[in-house]
Amino acid sequence: MSVLRVAAAQGVAVAGESDTNVATAARLVRQAADEGAALVVLPEAFLTGYAATAFAGKVPRADDLAGGWLDPLREEAARGATTVVAGTPLQRESAKTLSLLVVRPDGEALAPYDKQHLFGEEAEHFVPGDHGATLAAGGWDLALSVCYDACFPEHARAAADTGATAYLNAAAYFTGSEHRRDLYLAARALDNGMYAVFSGLTGACGPATFNGGSAIFDPEGRPLARLGTEEGVAVADLDPEVVRATREAHLMHADHRASLGPRVWV
């Protein structure tokens, strides 16, 4: 496992306009690759926009990932030798999921992860995922998560328990939630002694506005790179030696107890 340069990308998505959003995603991947990133994370539901109108309408099909609609992303992944993680709703047989696509430099596109913790009205459109997923890239084990997943400490812990050394989170935080957004991902990094890569939707999409804040946190929860609400990419290097040293110095993950026994009231 060697140093891996990663990017958390953010931009404005247009509700229901997949071609426009894929083109924006491709532009951001190109920018990240030009800064040396071998892995790029894009926000939650970025390819359709995070909006009820987009969720209720026709969304990409899980059995059409080889289709031409993803070609702009495939081309940029190949050009930059970059792996892309992008959020989108998917139609899976009879149900919809809020999912993460992985587009590899060789053109392969997979949908290995569906959001497990649905937030608010999402449950009106989607079913939750039934498994975790970890992406292998550059010798790293990179856990996949979507937005609200990161609010549950056990989600990141389950990934760390199976060897993850970084936690990728594609998100869409509404304006006004900046404090919680930043705390959650920093805490997940510190809890488990691993990097956290957070990509947040920004700007207006449908009736809502989103606060961006894409960032990369080191294994002690300190931001290495961070954006505001502008379009762009936050880029940083993940260093395996930093993970090793942090986990040796801060043993919360290793010292975790499966049970604390019964509760005594006095």
Side-chain angles (χ1 to χ4, degrees):
M1 190 165 66
S2 58
V3 171
L4 180 70
R5 178 161 292 184
V6 302
Q10 68 181 39
V12 177
V14 182
E17 298 291 337
S18 290
D19 289 346
T20 298
N21 298 331
V22 169
T24 301
R27 183 175 71 248
L28 289 167
V29 170
R30 175 178 283 254
Q31 180 180 346
D34 286 348
E35 295 189 33
L39 177 89
V40 184
V41 183
L42 291 156
E44 178 180 19
F46 193 68
L47 302 189
T48 64
Y50 188 104
T53 53
F55 296 163
K58 185 178 180 180
V59 301
R61 296 189 59 85
D63 58 7
D64 188 33
L65 300 186
W69 69 283
L70 278 175
D71 283 352
L73 271 183
R74 266 191 267 270
E75 290 165 8
E76 291 304 328
R79 172 189 171 274
T82 305
T83 297
V84 181
V85 177
T88 185
L90 283 180
Q91 183 70 52
R92 292 188 182 273
E93 297 181 350
S94 61
K96 291 178 180 177
T97 55
L98 265 176
S99 304
L100 291 180
L101 301 186
V102 175
V103 181
R104 297 188 183 275
D106 64 2
E108 181 184 29
L110 307 168
Y113 182 72
D114 304 325
K115 186 176 185 178
Q116 293 186 282
H117 300 90
L118 299 177
F119 179 79
E121 295 179 359
E122 292 171 358
E124 297 176 12
H125 303 282
F126 305 108
V127 298
D130 61 4
H131 64 272
T134 297
L135 167 66
W140 286 76
D141 291 338
L142 308 158
L144 302 181
S145 67
V146 179
C147 204
Y148 196 36
D149 287 330
C151 302
F152 298 85
E154 63 270 21
H155 192 270
R157 178 172 179 83
D161 285 347
T162 56
T165 42
Y167 188 69
L168 312 183
N169 188 255
Y173 273 79
F174 298 109
T175 297
S177 61
E178 292 82 0
H179 172 68
R180 293 184 295 104
R181 174 199 69 194
D182 294 341
L183 268 180
Y184 285 137
L185 273 298
R188 298 297 80 79
L190 180 59
D191 289 344
N192 298 288
M194 63 185 182
Y195 287 94
V197 181
F198 169 80
S199 170
L201 190 65
T202 195
C205 186
T209 58
F210 299 89
N211 59 31
S214 296
I216 300 168
F217 297 91
D218 78 4
E220 289 193 48
R222 295 173 294 214
L224 300 174
R226 172 178 278 164
L227 300 176
T229 57
E230 73 277 15
E231 179 182 290
V233 296
V235 179
D237 291 335
L238 310 189
D239 187 339
E241 176 59 23
V242 173
V243 175
R244 185 200 63 76
T246 301
R247 288 181 171 178
E248 284 187 359
H250 304 289
L251 302 176
M252 289 86 73
H253 182 265
D255 288 344
H256 176 263
R257 295 183 60 178
S259 173
L260 298 178
R263 178 70 53 190
V264 176
W265 294 88
V266 296

